[in-house]
Amino acid sequence: MGRIKTALWGLPGLLFALWIAADPLALAATGFFPLRSGMVQATGLLAMGCMSAAMILALRPRWPERWFDGLDKMYRLHKWLGIGGLALSIVHWLWAQGPKWAVGYGWLERPARGPRPPPGSGIEQALRGLRGTAEDIGEWAFYAAVLLILVALATRIPYRLFYKTHRWVALVYLVLVFHSVVLTDFAYWTTPLGVVLAVLLACGASAAVVVLLRRVGAGRQVRGTIAALTYYPELRVLEGEVSVPDGWPGHRAGQFAFVTSDEAEGAHPYTIASAWHPDERRLTFITKALGDHTSRLRDRLKVGHPVTVEGPYGCFTFDDDRRCQVWIGAGIGITPFIARMKQIAQDRPVPGQEIHLFHPTSDFSAEAIAKLTADAARAGVRLHVLHDARDGRLNGERIRAAVPAWREASLWFCGPVGFGAALRRDFAAQGLPPSRFHQELFAMR
């Protein structure tokens, strides 16, 4: 989380510092309208910086994944960069439009505008000729961006509608790139600010084109077919095995993939609940009926149904040198731990490592728990199943009572975000270093 905050505040901070260096007198301007001119430039630059970074992250690039500790964290940054870009765009719009309204109502008097200095080059002259067009289409693109980002943030809107409309953000972004290139103070382009902004806009525009062409993650996609389906009615859970004959590079336990079973619905992320066997070439995914799409899967999916799998992604891979690990898989969050237990059983347990798996669940299936118990036994994992109605809620105190060596352990959590945050705070208050609490932020919008 620390690196998300660093990137979220660091990029606007860098751009603001470069803007001050490029125009050191902007904040010292005397009079409202000279100050307004600088604020329009600054807020526009910051907004486009955030939007450009968000657009680049939309490609699901692999190179920063390890630094951010997984694609799930990168998506969290993508979301907050979008929110930041939206907020800065609103401020930019208010600085641009508000004084015009105030002049129209007679609250402000616009000073007489002197002659513009002659353009220093043909490029500057050409950009000046496009100012009116850039202002007009930029305003309408702003309105479209506000609407589309609000749709993306409204989780009550069905995912399939979000999937269809969110791609339009890329088209709006390209319009805003044109708006920015034309209206950015021409003198800025020869400064370090101009260089950084040009790189961000170029990379963001390239990413937008990839999004519009529906080529995100295309090089990491493989075709597969559903080989087996098992339904657990007590849990409202569907377990599916997907055969991937060619192209899958293998994965590590704890990673996830994007699976497309319906082109109209788009790709959905699911944790892989199996170890990788090159000879079998099968992936297991476990889904719970929590929304409109997952509730329909049982009726729509059949053995032999074609699917597309993209991945693998994620860094929730149990990498540390701790002699004790504590796993908490709440509800459907048990899936990465199932994969890890199967991998341990396949590769043999780490000598001397003690692993405790806590599985709190509000629903209970004897068949599913029997499979989980067998997986734990083969991997040498100590399983603690807590059925809410029978055993009450799991909390940090109960975990510490069951694991005497918790102070030396690392904790790995997958489940509801609020529950994970509460456990993180609880263990931090007891002295566990935050770096030893690993949590997957499995929310992609």
Side-chain angles (χ1 to χ4, degrees):
M1 291 296 290
R3 290 179 177 177
I4 295 178
K5 292 179 180 178
T6 298
L8 180 62
W9 293 103
L11 177 61
L14 172 63
L15 290 173
F16 188 76
L18 292 175
W19 174 70
I20 292 295
D23 196 353
L25 300 180
L27 294 180
T30 57
F32 177 79
F33 280 93
L35 177 64
R36 174 226 183 195
S37 178
M39 289 299 97
V40 167
Q41 289 289 319
T43 53
L45 294 169
L46 295 178
M48 287 306 297
C50 289
M51 290 185 183
S52 298
M55 189 59 63
I56 294 167
L57 291 179
L59 295 185
R60 304 197 272 268
R62 300 297 292 269
W63 51 269
E65 190 176 4
R66 177 62 61 179
W67 192 81
F68 282 113
D69 194 30
L71 182 62
D72 55 316
K73 314 300 190 302
M74 289 165 56
Y75 261 88
R76 179 63 60 90
L77 176 60
H78 167 83
K79 172 182 176 179
W80 282 104
L81 283 169
I83 293 172
L86 174 62
L88 287 164
S89 295
I90 292 173
V91 176
H92 173 74
W93 176 76
L94 289 173
W95 272 109
Q97 299 298 325
K100 296 180 182 178
W101 302 333
V103 169
Y105 284 114
W107 300 340
L108 283 176
E109 182 177 350
R110 184 186 296 274
R113 179 180 293 177
R116 287 181 179 273
S121 67
I123 296 176
E124 184 177 2
Q125 184 174 358
L127 292 177
R128 284 189 183 181
L130 295 171
R131 290 184 66 87
T133 302
E135 288 175 350
D136 291 340
I137 66 172
E139 182 176 355
W140 286 106
F142 162 73
Y143 299 142
V146 170
L147 177 61
L148 291 171
I149 294 175
L150 289 177
V151 168
L153 296 175
T155 55
R156 291 190 177 184
I157 293 177
Y159 184 89
R160 61 182 177 275
L161 180 59
F162 157 77
Y163 171 74
K164 291 177 180 178
T165 60
H166 199 53
R167 190 167 54 247
W168 300 346
V169 174
L171 181 59
V172 171
Y173 171 80
L174 289 176
V175 175
L176 292 174
V177 168
F178 170 75
H179 172 85
S180 300
V181 170
V182 172
L183 297 178
T184 295
D185 191 322
F186 191 77
Y188 292 169
W189 294 112
T190 58
T191 69
L193 170 65
V195 174
V196 173
L197 181 62
V199 170
L200 284 171
L201 294 179
C203 293
S206 299
V209 172
V210 173
V211 170
L212 290 171
L213 295 176
R214 302 188 183 187
R215 299 296 294 171
V216 175
R220 298 185 289 275
Q221 295 176 358
V222 299
R223 297 288 183 178
T225 56
I226 294 178
L229 292 167
T230 304
Y231 185 66
Y232 301 91
E234 302 93 340
L235 306 177
R236 294 175 293 119
V237 162
L238 181 66
E239 178 182 307
E241 289 188 27
V242 176
S243 175
V244 283
D246 300 302
W248 186 253
H251 64 272
R252 302 184 64 189
Q255 292 189 300
F256 66 92
F258 289 88
V259 182
T260 304
S261 58
D262 180 352
E263 290 294 337
E265 182 72 24
H268 284 254
Y270 301 111
T271 298
I272 304 168
S274 58
W276 177 241
H277 298 272
D279 296 334
E280 297 181 6
R281 307 196 67 78
R282 286 192 175 190
L283 306 174
T284 300
F285 298 97
I286 300 176
T287 64
K288 186 165 186 173
L290 296 173
D292 55 343
H293 173 66
T294 50
S295 297
R296 295 192 299 265
L297 288 178
R298 184 192 174 198
D299 297 325
R300 291 190 173 187
L301 298 184
K302 308 295 180 185
V303 173
H305 187 98
V307 298
T308 300
V309 183
E310 177 195 331
Y313 294 102
C315 298
F316 192 81
T317 51
F318 308 92
D319 297 321
D320 64 31
D321 56 357
R322 314 305 301 183
R323 305 306 297 173
C324 179
Q325 290 188 348
V326 177
W327 303 346
I328 304 103
I332 196 63
I334 192 65
T335 48
F337 305 107
I338 293 174
R340 178 59 175 167
M341 288 190 295
K342 292 183 181 297
Q343 182 182 343
I344 291 174
Q346 175 182 310
D347 299 340
R348 298 181 182 180
V350 178
Q353 187 175 54
E354 177 184 342
I355 301 174
H356 291 260
L357 169 58
F358 292 84
H359 177 47
T361 177
S362 57
D363 304 310
F364 190 87
S365 166
E367 180 183 2
I369 293 301
K371 287 187 175 182
L372 188 66
T373 301
D375 284 338
R378 283 191 288 269
V381 171
R382 303 180 190 182
L383 178 63
H384 309 261
V385 177
L386 293 92
H387 184 206
D388 291 351
R390 181 192 66 196
D391 305 305
R393 300 279 183 167
L394 179 67
N395 55 33
E397 184 178 352
R398 296 182 73 167
I399 293 172
R400 290 187 290 271
V403 186
W406 68 269
R407 292 186 183 278
E408 289 73 44
S410 58
L411 272 67
W412 300 79
F413 175 89
C414 186
V417 174
F419 182 26
L423 285 178
R424 179 189 292 271
R425 290 192 299 268
D426 180 83
F427 274 92
Q430 297 298 319
L432 186 79
S435 61
R436 281 202 258 136
F437 191 103
H438 306 273
Q439 180 178 1
E440 196 169 40
L441 303 177
F442 216 68
M444 298 298 174
R445 59 177 294 197

